[in-house]
Amino acid sequence: METQPVYKRVLVKLSGEALGGKDGIFDNDRLEAICAQLKRVADLGTEVAVVIGAGNIWRGAYGKGVKRARADQMGMLGTMINCLRMEDALEKSGCSARVMSPVGMNSFAEQYDFRKAISYLESGTVVLFGAGTGIPFVTTDTTVVVRAAEIEADVILMAKN
C-alpha cells in the first residue's frame, strides 16, 4: 500500500542550533541526518520549504556594542550561510534545492519571489528561504509565518530548541 502524504506543502523552521556542533558551526552528521529526513519527505511527494535561524553562527550581539539593526543584518547573513550549507548537503543527497533571499545576493542565491518559490516547490525542489524578511527587528520565527502564508503552506513544522 502506497503512503499518501498528510500535507501537500510544508514549511519547516529549523533553529540554527539544530545544525551546530560542539566543534564548530556545523555538525556534519546532524546536517546529513536532517537532509535525509527532508529528502524522504520530498520523495513522498510533499513539497518542502525551509527557514533556518542563525543561532549557530550569530546570536545576542545587541547589548554588546552592536546596534540592533546591524546585529539583525549580521543574523540575516548567518541564515544565508546555513541555507547555502544545507543546499549543498541536500544536493549531495540527490535532492534538488534552491536558496532564495529577499536581499540581493544574486551570485549565489535567487531573489525571493513567492511565485517562483511555488513553481520550484511544485517541481519537487526543496526551497530554502534565507536572510529572513530582509529587514531588521524581525525574527526568523516571524519570517516562517510570512513565507508560509505567501507560499500557501498547509502547515509549519517547528524544529527548535
Side-chain angles (χ1 to χ4, degrees):
M1 181 164 70
E2 187 174 314
T3 303
Q4 293 295 316
V6 175
Y7 301 107
K8 178 180 186 247
R9 183 175 297 150
V10 301
L11 183 50
V12 178
K13 167 59 166 73
L14 297 172
S15 65
E17 292 91 338
L19 307 182
K22 295 176 186 166
D23 301 324
I25 62 172
F26 296 111
D27 178 320
N28 290 323
D29 292 336
R30 187 180 296 165
L31 184 64
E32 287 175 15
I34 291 168
C35 288
Q37 291 175 25
L38 293 174
K39 182 181 185 316
R40 188 167 43 247
V41 171
D43 287 347
L44 288 172
T46 301
E47 299 170 6
V48 179
V50 181
V51 170
I52 310 172
N56 59 321
I57 298 171
W58 182 255
R59 177 179 294 284
Y62 23 97
K64 296 181 183 176
V66 178
K67 290 183 180 182
R68 170 69 191 266
R70 180 63 68 202
D72 286 354
Q73 290 169 334
M74 295 166 76
M76 288 179 222
L77 292 173
T79 70
M80 290 302 297
I81 291 168
N82 284 339
C83 284
L84 292 170
R85 179 63 183 94
M86 181 160 279
E87 179 186 42
D88 184 70
L90 283 165
E91 288 175 344
K92 285 179 181 170
S93 76
C95 188
S96 175
R98 289 276 192 260
V99 175
M100 299 187 90
S101 168
V103 178
M105 300 185 196
N106 297 335
S107 64
F108 51 85
E110 291 188 45
Q111 188 70 37
Y112 173 72
D113 176 300
F114 75 90
R115 293 165 300 215
K116 192 158 192 180
I118 290 170
S119 177
Y120 281 135
L121 291 166
E122 290 173 343
S123 74
T125 297
V126 173
V127 179
L128 304 160
F129 298 124
T133 61
I135 58 172
F137 304 100
V138 179
T139 70
T140 52
D141 286 351
T142 301
T143 301
V144 76
V145 174
V146 171
R147 294 292 179 254
E150 291 172 329
I151 66 167
E152 301 175 351
D154 297 318
V155 68
I156 297 170
L157 304 173
M158 303 289 276
K160 298 177 45 160
N161 292 347

